[in-house]
Amino acid sequence: MEIVIKATQFILSLSFLIVLHELGHFIPAKIFKTRVEKFYLFFDYKFSLFKAKIGDTVYGIGWIPLGGYVKISGMIDESMDTEQMKLPAQPWEFRSKPAWQRLIIMLGGVIVNFILGILIYIMITFVWGIDFVNSADVEDGFSVHESFKQYGFEDGDKILKFNGVEPLDVTDVNKHLFLRDITSIEVLHLDGNTEAITIPENIGEVMWENGIMKPFEVRRPAIINVVTENSPAQIAGIQVNDKIVSVNNTPINYWNEFSTLVLNSKDEITLGIERDSNLINISVKPGENNQIGVSYNVLSGINIQHKDYSFLESISTGNSIAIWTLRDYITQFKYVFTKKGATSIGGFIAIGNIFPATWSWQAFWSITAFLSIMLGFMNLLPIPALDGGHVMFTLYEMITGRKPNDKFLEYAQVTGFILLIALLLLANGNDIVKLFS
């Protein structure tokens, strides 16, 4: 059932984004009296699930859910209708229109994506407000990855400021370190001293290369919230709400202490457990990667603050969220071109798994807003077969006064299409490998 809910949300979100993106091309094309031959949700290779002709345009739903398209007369696109291009240009064709009109038609889709993302974030802020955790609510501070202790951080530190400014949500520290230009973090140590710790300029690259994506985690007691089915922990008799108080007779208070001792163990371990006010010992043999199959809710017991926004306040805040979402996505995009990044690219399964296993309109619209901005950016890349490729050639024409010949555009379109197919196979191949491994 969880898979069905995730898949339903994914298809609904994707369909919504595709239709609006293609409308971004369709509407300016109609305004400039350019004929649109087809308007399709999904691809219709060989046959369609539905189609109907209204005026000059055939509207339909294809059976291959990899996107959608509008086929504009007189344009070299993914349809590769080269026969039409051999005929004399007609007034209603794309190629007959001035360059500035063609540019607007091609930019229409990504403009809609960006505007849609902003509007959704505005409405999310207005309808649901924002939940956040401030520094005072993290009573036990943060646990710190060993590699970050060299900079001066300590377990139990309370994070006060990023670059001298108090953050709205202190649990955003990992995201800000990885994606944003943090040069210093002010912390309150357990001894009561406050210190502003300098952060290396390349900290994001360090985190990426070493796989340390969560150097700071909210410090919580080692109370188990989840026991994985058929895991070593379940087989040994460990239960939800068990509190771990020792590992191999070493007393522990917090989850990070527990996980460190378990991960560093090579043989069977003995856990001291507090259950229903009783102390018991349970022996567990760790499985693959020294995991025993237990986890906890990071924010369990934390006081989460909430802020509501008026509609006018939502406009400013929603715009800010959208802009930072785009900036963060562009920042992390550079990691795609690393060896590790190539194996980390996700396809449809990875995107579908972003959606929650239970239906949540807030989560649905939040993910849809993110995907809209992501698709807008991706489509703007100067790759032939994407909107950005058409924009690049049109700008070249406007600057130089010379239009690339049709044969060149055909070859560029084919090259871009092959590249996109290769990326699609790589992304979904990674999904399959991860699924079975």
Side-chain angles (χ1 to χ4, degrees):
M1 190 62 185
E2 291 182 357
I3 295 176
V4 174
I5 293 173
K6 283 179 177 247
T8 301
Q9 292 178 91
F10 174 51
I11 293 172
L12 180 60
S13 177
L14 184 65
S15 301
F16 178 69
L17 293 175
I18 290 171
V19 169
L20 290 180
H21 176 90
E22 300 306 336
L23 275 174
H25 298 303
F26 180 86
I27 292 173
K30 287 295 188 179
I31 290 173
F32 297 134
K33 300 187 183 330
T34 309
R35 183 176 294 174
V36 180
E37 298 175 11
K38 286 186 174 183
F39 186 116
Y40 259 78
L41 170 64
F42 305 147
F43 294 114
D44 59 325
Y45 180 72
K46 297 296 186 182
F47 71 92
S48 305
L49 298 177
F50 164 83
K51 66 178 179 179
K53 187 170 184 178
I54 303 175
D56 295 324
T57 307
V58 175
Y59 300 86
I61 301 175
W63 63 278
I64 306 175
L66 299 181
Y69 69 97
V70 288
K71 186 179 185 306
I72 300 175
S73 295
M75 176 181 174
I76 297 176
D77 57 13
E78 59 271 12
S79 68
M80 295 306 294
D81 187 1
T82 57
E83 293 302 317
Q84 185 184 67
M85 304 303 292
K86 295 177 182 178
L87 301 174
Q90 301 298 320
W92 61 80
E93 290 186 336
F94 180 81
R95 55 180 166 164
S96 299
K97 302 302 177 181
W100 68 270
Q101 291 186 5
R102 286 184 272 124
L103 182 65
I104 291 173
I105 292 171
M106 294 318 304
L107 284 173
V110 298
I111 290 173
V112 165
N113 280 136
F114 291 137
I115 292 176
L116 178 63
I118 291 170
L119 291 176
I120 293 175
Y121 278 126
I122 288 172
M123 292 311 299
I124 289 173
T125 305
F126 177 63
V127 174
W128 288 289
I130 291 178
D131 292 332
F132 61 94
V133 177
N134 62 37
S135 180
D137 293 323
V138 187
E139 296 179 359
D140 295 315
F142 286 82
S143 61
V144 183
H145 192 277
E146 287 299 317
S147 64
F148 269 65
K149 292 180 180 178
Q150 64 179 310
Y151 304 125
F153 295 106
E154 302 171 0
D155 284 330
D157 281 349
K158 289 188 176 182
I159 297 175
L160 305 178
K161 295 178 181 178
F162 305 158
N163 292 346
V165 179
E166 186 175 341
L168 175 64
D169 192 333
V170 73
T171 62
D172 284 339
V173 58
N174 296 317
K175 179 176 72 175
H176 283 242
L177 277 170
F178 183 55
L179 299 173
R180 305 186 185 178
D181 297 324
I182 290 187
T183 57
S184 70
I185 294 180
E186 185 177 314
V187 298
L188 174 64
H189 295 304
L190 286 175
D191 61 9
N193 291 322
T194 300
E195 180 183 4
I197 298 176
T198 301
I199 306 297
E201 290 183 2
N202 66 334
I203 194 65
E205 295 174 9
V206 171
M207 292 170 65
W208 175 256
E209 291 170 2
N210 294 284
I212 307 168
M213 304 314 294
K214 293 183 178 180
F216 294 92
E217 295 198 44
V218 175
R219 208 174 188 211
R220 301 298 299 153
I223 299 175
I224 294 171
N225 295 118
V226 177
V227 179
T228 305
E229 189 173 351
N230 297 321
S231 64
Q234 186 188 56
I235 294 170
I238 294 174
Q239 300 175 11
V240 172
N241 294 325
D242 281 351
K243 181 178 181 180
I244 312 299
V245 295
S246 67
V247 178
N248 290 335
N249 296 319
T250 300
I252 60 111
N253 294 307
Y254 299 103
W255 187 274
N256 65 299
E257 299 169 337
F258 158 65
S259 60
T260 298
L261 289 171
V262 171
L263 289 173
N264 290 333
S265 65
K266 296 182 179 179
D267 301 310
E268 188 174 73
I269 56 175
T270 300
L271 301 179
I273 292 176
E274 183 181 302
R275 180 189 297 169
D276 299 328
S277 301
N278 296 316
L279 290 176
I280 60 175
N281 290 321
I282 295 181
S283 295
V284 183
K285 176 68 175 177
E288 187 177 358
N289 298 322
N290 273 21
Q291 300 286 332
I292 66 172
V294 295
S295 60
Y296 76 120
N297 181 356
V298 175
L299 298 180
S300 175
I302 297 285
N303 182 33
I304 299 176
Q305 307 282 346
H306 178 81
K307 182 177 181 180
D308 289 318
Y309 292 80
S310 69
F311 184 70
L312 290 178
E313 291 173 329
S314 299
I315 293 174
S316 173
T317 304
N319 267 284
S320 178
I321 294 172
I323 290 169
W324 276 111
T325 299
L326 177 60
R327 288 183 61 177
D328 289 345
Y329 188 76
I330 293 173
T331 300
Q332 69 178 351
F333 188 72
K334 65 183 179 182
Y335 296 107
V336 171
F337 301 100
T338 64
K339 181 178 179 180
K340 182 178 178 181
T343 60
S344 301
I345 297 173
F348 294 112
I349 294 176
I351 296 173
N353 278 329
I354 298 175
F355 291 92
T358 56
W359 194 281
S360 166
W361 280 113
Q362 183 178 3
F364 171 83
W365 286 116
S366 180
I367 295 169
T368 299
F370 166 72
L371 292 178
S372 186
I373 288 174
M374 180 190 77
L375 290 173
F377 171 74
M378 293 297 292
N379 267 287
L380 203 52
L381 294 175
I383 299 174
L386 289 178
D387 295 342
H390 293 288
V391 169
M392 175 179 63
F393 293 133
T394 305
L395 287 174
Y396 170 81
E397 177 188 347
M398 295 174 72
I399 294 170
T400 65
R402 297 193 302 271
K403 184 178 181 180
N405 66 62
D406 290 345
K407 187 57 67 176
F408 171 81
L409 292 176
E410 288 175 22
Y411 288 142
Q413 189 74 13
V414 170
T415 302
F417 186 74
I418 291 172
L419 176 62
L420 292 179
I421 291 297
L423 289 173
L424 190 66
L425 291 174
L426 172 63
N428 288 283
N430 286 341
D431 279 355
I432 294 172
V433 169
K434 293 173 184 176
L435 184 66
F436 286 99
S437 63

